[in-house]
Amino acid sequence: MSKHLEDKNLIARWMDDRLSNEEKEQLKESGELDALKTVIDDIDTWKVKPFNLDAGLAKLTEENKTVVPLKKSNKNWLRIAASVAILLSCSLVWYLTSTSSTTIATKIAESKTVELPTGSLVELDAASSITYNKDDWEDSRMLTLSGQAFFNVTSGAPFIVKTPTAQVSVLGTQFNISTQEEQFSVYCYEGKIEVSYKNNSEIITKGQSVFLVNGKLKKDKHEYLSPEWMTGLSTYDRTPLKTVIADVKRYYNVEVNLPKKYGTLQFTGTIAHKDLQQTLNTIFTTMEIKYELQEDNTVIFE
């Protein structure tokens, strides 16, 4: 809504047919008259439950003897409703604009470094994304993560990462979160973090990790100095094969329709994200699974 309309209260006067011919012409030329008429036309299609005005007035009069009699005018009611609709529309636009969020995502076989407003760094793994509100960032350092990312958080206000599985809260630290398929894990490389899942929570420090196992958080230890995926490697220890293949599909543009009979098999080993054929050989040859990579980057099984 233009400031011109607000300052001169043209909307209310237009609804009451109190505009001069010159003002009507100016409003028409501005183009805003068409928008106001659209609102009125739309209101005519509204279905409102009939209201017993007499009964309502009688009740109000009984409760408050000073009630001023209302004028029965359907036209006035429509004008009031139009004003409310316009105000609500403007409020909605303001709200959506002021609470707009920023989403940064990576594609298959792509990783990206993201610097947040206060200097914290996020290393996004392939096929992952983060969403946050940059306008409120200094007051509420909160973001959502889908996929996998390494965080190097500067000190300051609490830093919260929400995932589809659990929530991670920190002050200043370095950690890695992976939420892929049915797997969820957090590795702490510096500082202290709290991982919350439903009514369960675990606090871990440098050299510790947390996994979600059978609906419960399980604390463990690790000796890594940084996430392996950042160096182009992935290490698995008795990991379901379907989870390993999900990672392969994030790092390579390949279609792998893994037969159900292989999905629950467990894979242990390390694969490099630099050569598709080598990666497939490392996985399937060691597990004695016969496969063939087609020219269109589709894997078929015998």
Side-chain angles (χ1 to χ4, degrees):
M1 187 185 301
S2 70
K3 191 172 187 302
H4 174 67
L5 289 180
E6 295 175 348
D7 289 345
K8 294 194 174 183
N9 201 19
L10 289 181
I11 295 177
R13 294 170 55 215
W14 171 74
M15 290 180 177
D16 254 347
D17 198 22
R18 292 186 289 112
L19 292 181
S20 65
N21 291 333
E22 181 180 356
E23 290 175 322
K24 289 180 180 179
E25 190 62 27
Q26 290 178 353
L27 187 60
K28 182 177 179 181
E29 292 178 356
S30 71
E32 294 183 278
L33 181 59
D34 293 333
L36 295 175
K37 288 181 177 179
T38 299
V39 174
I40 295 297
D41 293 338
D42 183 62
I43 289 175
D44 289 337
T45 66
W46 293 2
K47 294 182 179 180
V48 182
K49 184 178 179 180
F51 176 69
N52 190 328
L53 185 58
D54 293 330
L57 285 176
K59 183 178 180 180
L60 288 175
T61 303
E62 184 65 25
E63 295 177 351
N64 189 345
K65 300 299 183 180
T66 61
V67 172
V68 178
L70 296 178
K71 193 175 182 180
K72 296 181 181 179
S73 173
N74 190 51
K75 185 177 180 181
N76 286 339
W77 181 88
L78 287 178
R79 290 171 179 168
I80 295 173
S83 299
V84 173
I86 294 172
L87 290 175
L88 288 177
S89 299
C90 295
S91 298
L92 179 60
V93 172
W94 173 85
Y95 175 80
L96 293 176
T97 302
S98 63
T99 58
S100 60
S101 59
T102 299
T103 298
I104 301 175
T106 53
K107 302 176 182 178
I108 293 176
E110 177 190 27
S111 60
K112 184 179 297 184
T113 300
V114 181
E115 182 175 357
L116 298 174
T118 53
S120 296
L121 297 178
V122 181
E123 299 285 348
L124 269 181
D125 195 10
S128 302
S129 67
I130 57 171
T131 300
Y132 64 95
N133 190 326
K134 62 181 180 180
D135 295 332
D136 295 336
W137 184 254
E138 292 188 5
D139 297 325
S140 177
R141 299 196 300 176
M142 178 184 299
L143 59 79
T144 58
L145 165 69
S146 175
Q148 179 168 228
F150 171 76
F151 296 84
N152 189 343
V153 179
T154 58
S155 59
F159 189 102
I160 299 175
V161 180
K162 291 188 174 182
T163 76
T165 305
Q167 176 175 298
V168 179
S169 305
V170 303
L171 290 178
T173 186
Q174 296 181 18
F175 58 98
N176 188 85
I177 302 177
S178 177
T179 171
Q180 307 286 353
E181 295 291 311
E182 301 173 359
Q183 305 292 314
F184 174 81
S185 64
V186 180
Y187 285 76
C188 184
Y189 300 95
E190 182 180 296
K192 179 188 296 185
I193 63 178
E194 179 180 10
V195 182
S196 302
Y197 174 73
K198 295 184 177 180
N199 295 326
N200 189 13
S201 65
E202 291 285 353
I203 295 178
I204 60 175
T205 58
K206 179 179 179 179
Q208 294 182 320
S209 58
V210 164
F211 298 85
L212 185 62
V213 181
N214 297 325
K216 294 183 179 180
L217 295 178
K218 181 181 179 181
K219 184 186 296 187
D220 204 347
K221 296 181 180 180
H222 72 85
E223 298 179 352
Y224 302 115
L225 299 178
S226 63
E228 283 193 310
W229 67 263
M230 293 175 62
T231 63
L233 298 174
S234 289
T235 298
Y236 303 93
D237 182 19
R238 291 168 292 182
T239 303
L241 187 55
K242 63 179 181 179
T243 300
V244 178
I245 296 305
D247 284 346
V248 172
K249 293 168 70 173
R250 288 191 300 110
Y251 294 121
Y252 300 99
N253 185 20
V254 60
E255 183 62 34
V256 184
N257 295 315
L258 190 68
K260 291 184 178 179
K261 62 180 180 180
Y262 298 141
T264 57
L265 296 179
Q266 295 183 334
F267 174 76
T268 297
T270 299
I271 59 175
H273 312 147
K274 61 181 179 180
D275 184 87
L276 177 57
Q277 187 67 70
Q278 181 181 342
T279 295
L280 296 176
N281 282 335
T282 301
I283 298 172
F284 295 124
T285 301
T286 56
M287 300 185 71
E288 298 182 351
I289 297 176
K290 294 183 179 180
Y291 76 97
E292 182 179 342
L293 177 62
Q294 304 290 301
E295 292 184 358
D296 61 352
N297 267 18
T298 300
V299 177
I300 61 175
F301 299 87
E302 296 184 6

